[in-house]
Amino acid sequence: MGEANLSFPYDFKELEPEEKTKLLKAYKTSEPDHKFDFVSIGPKKYKQLRTYCQDAANIYNMPVRSSDIFVISHQRSGTTMTQEIVWLLDNNFDYAEAKAKALHERFPFLEFFTYFGQKWEEDFLQSTDDKRKALKLIESIARPITGKLLTLPSPRYIKTHIPLSLLPPGLLDTAKVVYVARDPRDVAVSSYHLYRLYKVMNFPGTFKEFWGLFVQDLVNRTPIFEHMKEAWNLRHHKNMLFLFFEELVKNLPSSIQRIADFLGKEVSIEQMNKLCDHLSIENFSKNEAVNYHSLRELGLLASDEQFVRKGKSGGWREYFDKEMEQQAEQWIAANLRDTDLRFAQ
């Protein structure tokens, strides 16, 4: 598995034996499973689920249009809120359409298919009574969408957690990119809940066990610092808007205005107030169009977890003991040593 695809510039490599052992231990099993079957990609050793390899070359070589708008982030960094802002700003605040059509349909998730494998599909079809609805869902979330994107009308809105170096090389010179970064401690907490929300991932351990994997780059799409630094280094590009989730939380109107200016959109005071109300955590967490309600209806999400959670920064303090706090401080300092990237407070 060490040879690079001719149309993809990086090698796919197996994890080291000790890394696999740590994953097996964390998932409390002795049998490999799709949910932690990662490959390591390129010199930065990005971890992706093995299913990503099916479409990696197509993603890297996908045609990009000048009218495309990408929202890119490491997972659980404020992506969903940013997507909703971008879509509503660029679609004249069409709340009726935003409510009627799920966000993942308005704003396709480029690598959503990687969460699901053949065994999951077979088990899912066997366990559900509504086969027609199940097949429709499989087609929409469990298949690569690079081919489907070719047929979508412009403008296209695309969400991805894939780092910039694994995306089309001409992306920033062609399309607009909104990148969202977040304190990695909060990302870790939110990712832990995500891995417990999706039954296909079903992380069985404590947050401390998950954190142990996160800081060792043994969670999907890590290393997180390399992911963010790639975007940070390109933040001055005319087609890049780099945001911090902490700024979104602290001053939502200001952040909305920055996105509007980047997209060349006007926002009145009345429109700003309505959008801020729409995005308040009280309303947003109840919004079925952004909360993957269709997955919940089909039993794919855990009943005690939510996709949109608390929408705040600094929540990591409720999860970290003193030992973890010290470890995190050292980890962050070591990874920011070669950059002027700093997280907003």
Side-chain angles (χ1 to χ4, degrees):
M1 198 170 176
E3 295 183 4
N5 187 304
L6 290 176
S7 55
F8 186 73
Y10 303 110
D11 290 343
F12 302 120
K13 293 185 178 179
E14 299 293 340
L15 298 188
E16 297 296 330
E18 61 269 24
E19 292 177 318
K20 291 184 178 181
T21 299
K22 289 174 183 176
L23 282 165
L24 289 169
K25 182 178 179 182
Y27 276 91
K28 306 184 190 310
T29 181
S30 59
E31 297 295 329
D33 197 310
H34 165 79
K35 62 177 68 76
F36 54 81
D37 188 13
F38 300 129
V39 293
S40 178
I41 304 170
K44 296 179 181 178
K45 300 181 179 179
Y46 283 119
K47 307 306 184 299
Q48 292 280 2
L49 289 163
R50 191 179 300 273
T51 42
Y52 165 77
C53 303
Q54 300 171 16
D55 211 45
N58 290 330
I59 290 171
Y60 187 80
N61 293 288
M62 64 181 282
V64 179
R65 305 173 190 169
S66 60
S67 56
D68 289 343
I69 303 174
F70 282 71
V71 169
I72 303 176
S73 67
H74 192 279
Q75 63 189 21
R76 310 310 287 173
S77 297
T79 326
T80 304
M81 180 181 289
T82 307
Q83 289 174 263
E84 188 79 340
I85 294 170
V86 166
W87 193 91
L88 284 166
L89 286 173
D90 209 50
N91 286 273
N92 301 312
F93 301 96
D94 189 348
Y95 289 98
E97 179 72 3
K99 184 177 181 180
K101 194 172 184 180
L103 183 60
H104 70 269
E105 296 176 11
R106 292 180 277 129
F107 220 120
F109 184 6
L110 187 56
E111 71 276 17
F112 203 2
F113 76 95
T114 62
Y115 286 112
F116 311 98
Q118 184 64 36
K119 186 177 186 306
W120 169 85
E121 184 176 323
E122 293 170 356
D123 291 345
F124 177 49
L125 283 172
Q126 187 175 4
S127 64
T128 185
D129 294 328
D130 193 338
K131 297 292 191 289
R132 184 187 62 81
K133 195 170 185 178
L135 285 168
K136 183 178 179 182
L137 183 71
I138 287 170
E139 188 60 34
S140 67
I141 68 172
R143 299 278 188 272
I145 64 167
T146 43
K148 186 184 299 183
L149 286 172
L150 295 173
T151 67
L152 291 183
S154 295
R156 299 182 303 182
Y157 308 94
I158 300 170
K159 163 193 170 180
T160 185
H161 298 311
I162 297 172
L164 281 164
S165 59
L166 305 186
L167 292 171
L171 174 60
L172 258 187
D173 292 330
T174 307
K176 288 187 179 295
V177 171
V178 179
Y179 187 95
V180 197
R182 187 182 190 184
D183 187 312
R185 293 166 291 194
D186 277 325
V187 172
V189 169
S190 193
S191 294
Y192 168 70
H193 284 284
L194 181 74
Y195 272 44
R196 293 174 68 84
L197 170 69
Y198 284 135
K199 290 183 179 180
V200 70
M201 301 303 289
N202 192 31
F203 186 78
T206 64
F207 171 69
K208 191 166 188 175
E209 290 171 317
F210 184 86
W211 169 252
L213 297 179
F214 196 84
V215 295
Q216 294 178 79
D217 299 331
L218 290 175
V219 171
N220 201 18
R221 305 181 182 94
T222 54
I224 186 173
F225 288 101
E226 292 302 325
H227 197 299
M228 291 189 287
K229 285 189 281 190
E230 284 189 13
W232 178 253
N233 291 339
L234 294 167
R235 68 192 183 280
H236 298 305
H237 193 290
K238 65 177 183 178
N239 284 337
M240 166 74 83
L241 176 62
F242 192 103
L243 297 172
F244 287 101
F245 175 73
E246 290 76 12
E247 293 173 341
L248 280 167
V249 172
K250 184 178 180 180
N251 194 335
L252 182 57
S254 175
S255 297
I256 290 172
Q257 190 61 60
R258 284 187 65 196
I259 297 171
D261 292 343
F262 179 64
L263 299 179
K265 299 294 180 179
E266 298 288 336
V267 185
S268 68
I269 294 176
E270 181 181 358
Q271 289 170 330
M272 179 68 76
N273 290 337
K274 184 174 181 179
L275 182 53
C276 287
D277 182 64
H278 175 75
L279 295 168
S280 70
I281 192 62
E282 181 180 357
N283 292 326
F284 208 52
S285 62
K286 298 174 184 175
N287 186 341
E288 292 183 355
V290 302
N291 263 301
Y292 288 102
H293 184 66
S294 58
L295 274 65
R296 188 171 295 284
E297 281 186 319
L298 286 167
L300 299 181
L301 304 183
S303 59
D304 58 344
E305 295 281 357
Q306 294 291 325
F307 186 76
V308 175
R309 295 181 58 249
K310 298 182 179 181
K312 68 177 185 179
S313 60
W316 62 267
R317 293 180 177 87
E318 301 170 17
Y319 290 77
F320 282 60
D321 59 29
K322 288 296 182 183
E323 179 188 3
M324 294 163 71
E325 285 186 23
Q326 293 174 357
Q327 181 188 29
E329 287 175 6
Q330 295 170 1
W331 176 63
I332 291 172
N335 280 281
L336 295 184
R337 195 169 291 137
D338 63 347
T339 177
D340 58 354
L341 169 66
R342 296 295 182 270
F343 299 106
Q345 300 298 318

